């Protein structure tokens, strides 16, 4: 059974930092992992993603402030968020796609973690 468990969200003042973690289990191998966010009344958007080889991609709005990384041995992904702004306030979701032991290729989501940045 595939499971993605996020942690690290919370309330922080503008200019502060938070580190999100996403632990994945149940995969045979994970290809792409990513962080998405959804603010109230808005669509879910990509924040950043990282491939198994380490290549990364960031939304323009977070470039230079957020850093995505992963530990393949632990099947864990991280998002270091610095210089946070009130507009970063959202529920942050972890996504992972890869092969199951059955041979199926799936994409799964975590339950989400709230990040609130006060001005």
């Amino acid at each position: 059974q595939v499971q993605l468990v996020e942690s690290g969200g919370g309330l922080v003042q503008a200019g502060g930092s938070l580190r999100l973690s996403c632990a994945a289990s149940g995969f045979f191998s994970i290809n792409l992992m990513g962080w998405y966010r959804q603010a109230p009344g808005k669509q879910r958007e990509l924040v950043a993603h990282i491939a198994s080889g380490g290549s990364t991609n960031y939304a323009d709005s977070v470039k230079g402030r957020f850093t995505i990384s992963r530990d393949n041995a632990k099947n864990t992904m991280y998002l270091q968020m610095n210089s946070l702004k009130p507009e970063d306030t959202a529920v942050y979701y972890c996504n992972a796609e890869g092969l199951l032991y059955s041979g199926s290729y799936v994409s799964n989501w975590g339950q989400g973690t709230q990040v609130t940045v006060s001005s």
Side-chain angles (χ1 to χ4, degrees), residues 14-38:
S17 298
L18 283 174
R19 189 190 193 213
L20 305 183
S21 299
C22 171
S25 60
F27 285 92
F28 172 73
S29 64
I30 300 175
N31 180 21
L32 193 66
M33 299 186 78
W35 289 99
Y36 292 73
R37 66 187 181 187
Q38 187 166 18

Side-chain angles (χ1 to χ4, degrees), residues 2 6-7 15 19 23 27 37 39 41-44 47 56 64 70 77-78 82 84 92 112:
V2 171
E6 298 124 332
S7 60
R19 189 190 193 213
F27 285 92
R37 66 187 181 187
K42 295 187 176 182
Q43 289 194 335
R44 191 173 298 188
V47 175
T56 59
R70 65 190 277 180
M77 173 180 62
Y78 306 95
N82 298 328
L84 282 160
Y92 283 68

Side-chain angles (χ1 to χ4, degrees), residues 62-80:
V62 307
K63 282 181 181 176
R65 300 187 298 123
F66 291 10
T67 302
I68 190 171
S69 62
R70 65 190 277 180
D71 183 335
N72 290 331
K74 296 181 179 179
N75 281 345
T76 301
M77 173 180 62
Y78 306 95
L79 185 68
Q80 178 66 43

